[in-house]
């Protein structure tokens, strides 16, 4: 028993701790969005619900003709179901000395979602959509959102670049310390995010930022690698 214990203690004393180096590699790439998503709404008020609905249907034809004129195809337009709801306003009742709810009719609302890979074409429509005001169509236009359909491929490419950058850093550290780089022990992907280039958006926020407001974007990613050192 004592002999076995002595061997165990000797082994413990002669075993040296493994030397490692931990590095973080970075990769950035600027790119242009290839998909635009844009929503617009308009509504009609009428004392009769069916009339409000019918008036929106008439406006739908006008809006569709307008979009078609600018090259928007039927497959790029998504006319959502028209929603109708009673509309109320509040007026002051001098007799009751309080605000009372007054029925003002029905509000029919149409929402259209446009999705296209022809970003330039839709941007032109966004700039011209206000001309429908001249036809008594009260358009409310949201800001376009920009996306990139090849994001998965881009992420893989950038992971390779960040890993290569990390390895180069590790090799430099090992060389300057008079050692050689050994095997890779672990690799962990850090934050992957998309921001607007040269903007004030937070860099490497928790969970990663995902900008959709800018057509021009910058993707960034980091990789943490741990190598053994000989």
């Amino acid at each position: 028993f004592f002999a076995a214990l002595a061997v165990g203690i000797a082994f413990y004393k002669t075993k040296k701790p493994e030397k490692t180096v931990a590095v973080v590699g970075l990769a950035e790439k600027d790119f242009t969005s290839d998909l635009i998503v844009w929503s617009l709404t308009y509504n009609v008020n009428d004392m009769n619900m069916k009339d409000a609905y019918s008036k929106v249907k008439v406006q739908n034809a006008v809006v569709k003709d307008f979009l078609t004129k600018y090259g928007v195809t039927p497959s790029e337009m998504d006319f959502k179901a028209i929603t109708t709801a009673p509309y109320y306003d509040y007026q002051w009742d001098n007799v009751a000395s309080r605000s009372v709810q007054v029925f003002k009719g029905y509000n029919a609302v149409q929402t259209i979602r446009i999705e296209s890979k022809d970003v330039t074409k839709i941007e032109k429509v966004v700039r011209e959509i206000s001309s429908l005001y001249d036809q008594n169509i009260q358009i409310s236009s949201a800001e376009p959102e920009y996306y990139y359909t090849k994001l998965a491929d881009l992420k893989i490419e950038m992971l390779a670049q960040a890993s290569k950058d990390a390895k180069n850093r590790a090799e430099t550290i090992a060389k300057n310390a008079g050692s050689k780089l050994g095997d890779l022990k672990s690799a962990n992907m850090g934050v992957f995010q998309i921001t607007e280039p040269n903007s004030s958006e937070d860099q490497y926020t928790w969970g990663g930022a995902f900008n959709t407001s800018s057509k021009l974007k910058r993707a960034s990613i980091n990789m943490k690698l741990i190598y053994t050192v000989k």
Side-chain angles (χ1 to χ4, degrees), residues 27-34 147-162 189 192-195 210 215-222:
E28 287 188 342
K29 185 170 184 177
D30 291 348
F31 61 97
T32 302
S33 303
D34 63 358
Y147 298 91
Y148 188 60
T149 59
K150 302 173 184 177
L151 199 59
D153 294 335
L154 176 64
K155 190 173 183 179
I156 293 174
E157 176 188 340
M158 294 185 64
L159 279 171
Q161 293 175 355
M189 188 184 79
F192 176 73
Q193 63 180 16
I194 298 174
T195 59
F210 190 87
K215 179 169 65 174
L216 301 178
K217 301 184 186 297
R218 175 172 294 163
S220 57
I221 195 169
N222 63 68

Side-chain angles (χ1 to χ4, degrees), residues 55-72:
K55 288 178 180 179
V56 169
K57 294 286 286 185
V58 172
Q59 292 188 349
N60 281 354
V62 176
V63 174
K64 188 173 183 178
D65 287 344
F66 174 86
L67 295 173
T68 302
K69 173 185 173 183
Y70 282 91
V72 184

Side-chain angles (χ1 to χ4, degrees), residues 179-190:
S179 303
K180 291 184 179 180
L181 204 62
D183 297 329
L184 176 65
K185 286 183 62 67
S186 67
N188 294 292
M189 188 184 79

Side-chain angles (χ1 to χ4, degrees), residues 3-103:
L5 179 60
V7 172
I9 294 175
F11 175 77
Y12 176 80
K13 288 182 177 180
T14 56
K15 185 179 179 181
K16 295 180 180 179
E18 191 175 45
K19 294 181 180 179
T20 60
V21 58
V23 288
V24 175
L26 306 174
E28 287 188 342
K29 185 170 184 177
D30 291 348
F31 61 97
T32 302
S33 303
D34 63 358
L35 179 70
I36 185 170
V37 177
W38 176 48
S39 295
L40 57 148
T41 60
Y42 45 93
N43 64 285
V44 172
N45 295 323
D46 196 280
M47 294 302 293
N48 184 282
M49 184 173 65
K50 290 184 178 179
D51 289 344
Y53 183 89
S54 297
K55 288 178 180 179
V56 169
K57 294 286 286 185
V58 172
Q59 292 188 349
N60 281 354
V62 176
V63 174
K64 188 173 183 178
D65 287 344
F66 174 86
L67 295 173
T68 302
K69 173 185 173 183
Y70 282 91
V72 184
T73 64
S75 62
E76 295 172 326
M77 310 177 200
D78 183 11
F79 282 75
K80 304 297 184 181
I82 299 173
T83 61
T84 57
Y87 172 68
Y88 297 92
D89 195 6
Y90 288 89
Q91 295 181 358
W92 184 256
D93 187 332
N94 290 323
V95 176
S97 296
R98 61 185 179 87
S99 181
V100 295
Q101 192 179 59
V102 179
F103 176 70

Side-chain angles (χ1 to χ4, degrees), residues 156-209:
I156 293 174
E157 176 188 340
M158 294 185 64
L159 279 171
Q161 293 175 355
S163 298
K164 183 178 180 180
D165 179 59
K167 185 176 181 180
N168 289 338
R169 292 169 186 259
E171 288 176 339
T172 300
I173 294 172
K175 182 179 179 180
N176 290 338
S179 303
K180 291 184 179 180
L181 204 62
D183 297 329
L184 176 65
K185 286 183 62 67
S186 67
N188 294 292
M189 188 184 79
V191 176
F192 176 73
Q193 63 180 16
I194 298 174
T195 59
E196 181 181 1
N198 306 315
S199 69
S200 58
E201 288 184 272
D202 291 338
Q203 296 294 310
Y204 300 105
T205 56
W206 179 258

